[in-house]
Amino acid sequence: TETNNQLSKKPKVSEKEDVPVITDLSKYVITNLLGQSDDGRVVFTQGTIVGKEGVAVILFEVNSIDLEKVKLFLSEKSVLNLNMTNDIYNIFQMEPPPTTNSIKTTVIYPATPKIINKFTQKPAYFVTETPEIYEKVTKPYIMEHLGDHKWVYNVLEGKAEVDRMICQEKDEKDGFMLVADLKWDMSTKENMYCLAIVERRDLYSLRDLNRSNLPMLRNIQEKCLKAIKDKFGIPRSLIRIYIHYQPAYYHLHIHFAHMRYTVGAPIIGKSIALNDVIQNIELCSDYYAKATLMFYIKDGHALSNELDKHGMIEREVVKEC
């Protein structure tokens, strides 16, 4: 997603990472409703924080309901307000106890224009990218934006999000780290969403993979599946494994998501199953260097602007009455 996302790209909040930028939401002034996730569970807002310069983006996410939470609803503190009744059907609006009604809140501050654009709902277009277009348009764009990855290196070097690391394998060629994405609370199994980030810094996307990378890809697949099962009890039969193209950031990473996690669900024009990636490379070492790839991209994205200049985006023509 593309709430979508995955680990969210974020600037450093403070020199001391344990000091939150805001603890009182009454100081947050919403200036723009950016949009919401496809399933309606997450609302994206833009605003300012009283007493601070710059712009913030805050995401409000309704937590999923599991059996343990349902049991907490069965309390005299829950209030049932009748909406309607018809034969055997009785529909209420329930006001559960406050302690069961928490909302996950993600604060991104200061929010860069790139962050704001990421969470702003805009029209999306399918693009057919030939190897020639990749070399002429996409690759130069990637090389221009490699400086945006300091936060990724902080994670790999153990400087940030250490408590979210699930497993790691140190190796200059095939090393990786599996971390829980910030969208997952690490407790609700059905929302499991993790990212395997490779150690190498010269693999930017699917286009850079070839037969020499197969041992790394297979190793990531097996080690991460085992780690997720050992730590969270989730079997491989319930885990989607895929790579995004175009990715949210150009440092190769692989997504691991629970089958029931709809926010991270693979979609056409965005996600390619890791098994398919491996099989395609087995058939042809430079498959992804030669392939014509289709992907979708939001209007206003910096890459879409470059593709537009080369006539790669066909826009809808609205006829006036």
Side-chain angles (χ1 to χ4, degrees):
T1 44
E2 172 172 356
T3 58
N4 38 102
N5 202 282
Q6 8 174 291
L7 284 163
S8 301
K9 166 73 170 60
K10 54 192 181 304
K12 187 176 276 189
V13 167
S14 166
E15 289 300 318
K16 295 182 179 179
E17 295 189 0
D18 58 343
V19 179
V21 69
I22 184 171
T23 56
D24 180 0
L25 284 177
S26 69
K27 297 184 181 298
Y28 180 59
V29 180
I30 296 177
T31 58
N32 191 14
L33 178 62
L34 300 178
Q36 64 182 43
S37 61
D38 292 339
D39 61 1
R41 288 180 55 229
V42 191
V43 173
F44 315 128
T45 68
Q46 174 186 339
T48 58
I49 299 173
V50 176
K52 294 187 178 293
E53 297 181 355
V55 176
V57 167
I58 299 186
L59 283 53
F60 298 93
E61 179 177 353
V62 178
N63 295 319
S64 62
I65 299 175
D66 56 21
L67 181 57
E68 293 305 312
K69 181 170 284 189
V70 169
K71 290 178 180 178
L72 296 176
F73 293 159
L74 308 180
S75 162
E76 61 183 14
K77 295 181 180 179
S78 293
V79 178
L80 291 177
N81 298 310
L82 182 64
N83 282 352
M84 66 159 284
T85 180
N86 186 355
D87 192 24
I88 63 174
Y89 301 99
N90 299 275
I91 300 176
F92 299 86
Q93 189 70 29
M94 182 183 68
E95 298 177 13
T99 54
T100 67
N101 203 22
S102 63
I103 294 177
K104 181 180 176 183
T105 306
T106 303
V107 179
I108 306 174
Y109 174 86
T112 63
K114 186 176 180 180
I115 288 288
I116 295 169
N117 183 71
K118 175 181 177 180
F119 291 107
T120 301
Q121 286 186 328
K122 293 182 179 180
Y125 302 94
F126 278 107
V127 173
T128 302
E129 182 190 75
T130 64
E132 293 74 25
I133 288 296
Y134 171 76
E135 291 291 336
K136 185 176 182 180
V137 182
T138 309
K139 189 173 182 179
Y141 169 83
I142 292 173
M143 302 313 292
E144 282 182 19
H145 291 80
L146 295 182
D148 297 343
H149 298 157
K150 183 179 178 181
W151 71 273
V152 179
Y153 305 148
N154 284 343
V155 172
L156 288 172
E157 294 167 8
K159 298 177 181 178
E161 302 180 31
V162 179
D163 59 332
R164 304 187 69 81
M165 186 186 76
I166 296 169
C167 70
Q168 182 177 23
E169 191 160 302
K170 286 282 190 180
D171 186 88
E172 289 185 1
K173 183 180 179 184
D174 297 332
F176 69 91
M177 178 187 289
L178 180 69
V179 295
D181 189 274
L182 293 176
K183 292 187 285 296
W184 184 35
D185 60 13
M186 296 186 71
S187 60
T188 309
K189 288 185 180 182
E190 290 77 9
N191 287 349
M192 188 278 292
Y193 188 27
C194 300
L195 297 174
I197 307 173
V198 304
E199 281 198 8
R200 287 179 57 172
R201 302 186 181 188
D202 60 341
L203 296 176
Y204 310 125
S205 76
L206 203 62
R207 289 282 194 186
D208 299 303
L209 295 174
N210 56 47
R211 195 164 286 142
S212 69
N213 305 122
L214 287 178
M216 176 190 71
L217 296 176
R218 294 191 185 105
N219 187 50
I220 288 175
Q221 184 177 44
E222 292 308 311
K223 294 288 176 61
C224 292
L225 285 172
K226 183 179 186 303
I228 292 170
K229 183 177 181 180
D230 290 347
K231 190 159 186 175
F232 304 104
I234 304 172
R236 65 171 61 208
S237 58
L238 292 179
I239 300 175
R240 298 184 178 105
I241 314 173
Y242 52 93
I243 298 176
H244 278 158
Y245 192 79
Q246 296 288 324
Y249 52 93
Y250 294 98
H251 180 107
L252 187 69
H253 56 286
I254 300 170
H255 301 250
F256 290 74
H258 196 287
M259 289 286 287
R260 298 193 190 112
Y261 182 57
T262 56
V263 177
I267 53 178
I268 294 173
K270 183 70 175 177
S271 310
I272 303 175
L274 180 59
N275 274 339
D276 291 344
V277 172
I278 291 173
Q279 290 179 19
N280 287 337
I281 295 174
E282 286 174 339
L283 291 172
C284 177
S285 179
D286 56 351
Y287 178 91
Y288 286 104
K290 293 180 176 179
T292 293
L293 300 176
M294 185 179 72
F295 59 85
Y296 84 86
I297 192 165
K298 285 199 308 181
D299 197 16
H301 188 287
L303 177 57
S304 76
N305 295 337
E306 293 302 314
L307 291 166
D308 206 9
K309 292 177 184 177
H310 290 79
M312 297 304 300
I313 296 179
E314 184 179 357
R315 299 182 183 277
E316 182 179 14
V317 177
V318 180
K319 296 182 178 180
E320 294 183 3
C321 297

